[in-house]
């Protein structure tokens, strides 16, 4: 792989929850010195999550080693700062009905990748059988042919406004705190309590 592909691969491995050892092994396999792999990984983690992962500064044994490592770091940072991938990958926005429709059509195999394009921090939890973003306190799961999205209680009406503006009809539903919107293909059910909003999407 070229340098750009290596950087992209490492970012997806981080998003998918791979261990540092697995990522460092990839770097070593691609020709990065083992002693530099940990440092290179710290630079990438710091770029993705600057407040959670400070850069690890390791002393070098000689000047030649220092210059080689510095060259790697400068190359990595330049790729991260100036490559268009950095601008296009993660929007850092809330999930919309259009996102949920795209996910249910695509299937679970792409959820980790697609969710991290919307906002970073999504990983799959095998124990809970769902995708979680602990930073945003949100989760996505598939249950009985439904896509479920749980998030902190919605404070604005943008989700509902989107549905109403895209030919989804508001169905009268007697359960307090619940609303149903449907069109000819899909049905959204929105349930809210004082802490969380649960949104389910299903084919009709």
């Amino acid at each position: 792989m070229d340098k750009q592909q290596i950087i992209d691969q490492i970012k997806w491995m981080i998003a998918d929850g791979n261990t540092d050892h697995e990522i460092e092994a990839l770097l070593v396999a691609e020709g990065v010195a083992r002693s530099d792999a940990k440092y290179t990984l710290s630079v990438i983690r710091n770029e993705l999550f600057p407040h959670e992962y400070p850069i690890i500064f390791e002393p070098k044994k000689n000047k030649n080693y220092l210059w080689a490592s510095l060259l790697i770091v400068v190359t990595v940072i330049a790729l991260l700062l100036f490559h268009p991938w950095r601008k296009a990958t993660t929007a850092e926005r809330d999930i919309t009905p259009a996102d949920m429709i795209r996910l249910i059509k695509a299937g679970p195999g792409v959820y980790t990748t697609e969710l991290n394009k919307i906002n970073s921090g999504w990983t799959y939890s095998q124990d809970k059988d769902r995708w979680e973003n602990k930073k945003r306190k949100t989760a996505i799961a598939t249950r009985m042919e439904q896509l479920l999205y749980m998030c902190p209680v919605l404070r604005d009406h943008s989700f509902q406004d989107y549905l109403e503006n895209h030919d989804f009809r508001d169905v009268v539903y007697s359960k307090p705190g619940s609303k149903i919107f449907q069109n000819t293909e899909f049905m959204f059910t929105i349930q809210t309590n004082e802490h969380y909003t649960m949104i389910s999407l299903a084919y009709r």
Side-chain angles (χ1 to χ4, degrees):
M1 292 187 288
D2 60 27
K3 290 179 181 178
Q4 173 192 329
Q5 291 173 321
I6 294 172
I7 298 303
D8 291 349
Q9 180 65 27
I10 290 172
K11 285 194 172 186
W12 291 127
M13 290 177 76
I14 291 172
D16 286 334
N18 290 83
T19 65
D20 288 0
H21 178 74
E22 292 171 324
I23 299 172
E24 289 167 18
L26 170 69
L27 285 166
V28 171
E30 293 296 331
V32 178
R34 185 173 296 279
S35 56
D36 289 327
K38 186 183 297 292
Y39 179 62
T40 303
L41 175 57
S42 76
V43 172
I44 296 173
R45 282 192 181 279
N46 176 262
E47 200 279 334
L48 290 172
F49 311 106
H51 300 298
E52 299 178 31
Y53 294 96
I55 295 177
I56 299 172
F57 291 95
E58 295 185 345
K60 301 302 178 183
K61 295 180 179 178
N62 57 59
K63 291 184 179 179
N64 291 335
Y65 210 43
L66 175 62
W67 280 110
S69 300
L70 183 60
L71 180 61
I72 292 172
V73 171
V74 169
T75 302
V76 168
I77 292 175
L79 284 170
L80 294 175
L81 290 176
F82 300 110
H83 198 275
W85 179 91
R86 185 175 186 269
K87 297 180 180 178
T89 299
T90 305
E92 292 302 338
R93 57 174 175 78
D94 292 331
I95 290 175
T96 67
D99 295 323
M100 292 187 67
I101 290 172
R102 187 169 64 253
L103 289 171
I104 200 171
K105 286 182 176 180
V110 301
Y111 283 7
T112 301
T113 299
E114 293 302 317
L115 287 167
N116 276 291
K117 290 179 182 179
I118 299 169
N119 48 66
S120 60
W122 286 94
T123 57
Y124 177 69
S125 170
Q126 290 186 340
D127 293 339
K128 298 178 180 178
D129 189 22
R130 69 183 189 184
W131 290 260
E132 298 178 334
N133 189 323
K134 294 181 180 178
K135 208 168 46 171
R136 288 178 171 254
K137 298 180 180 178
T138 55
I140 287 273
T142 55
R143 300 287 186 271
M144 299 178 65
E145 299 184 350
Q146 294 184 78
L147 180 66
L148 305 177
Y149 170 46
M150 185 177 71
C151 61
V153 62
L154 296 176
R155 300 297 182 185
D156 60 47
H157 299 287
S158 58
F159 204 98
Q160 180 174 324
D161 290 344
Y162 179 97
L163 294 171
E164 292 174 346
N165 292 327
H166 287 79
D167 298 323
F168 279 83
R169 185 168 55 90
D170 185 358
V171 179
V172 177
Y173 190 44
S174 59
K175 186 176 179 180
S178 297
K179 287 191 174 183
I180 294 177
F181 295 87
Q182 63 182 26
N183 62 11
T184 56
E185 186 177 8
F186 296 106
M187 181 171 68
F188 282 89
T189 303
I190 304 174
Q191 302 178 64
T192 301
N193 61 27
E194 58 181 324
H195 300 296
Y196 281 95
T197 295
M198 176 70 78
I199 302 170
S200 67
L201 170 61
Y203 287 97
R204 292 191 62 190

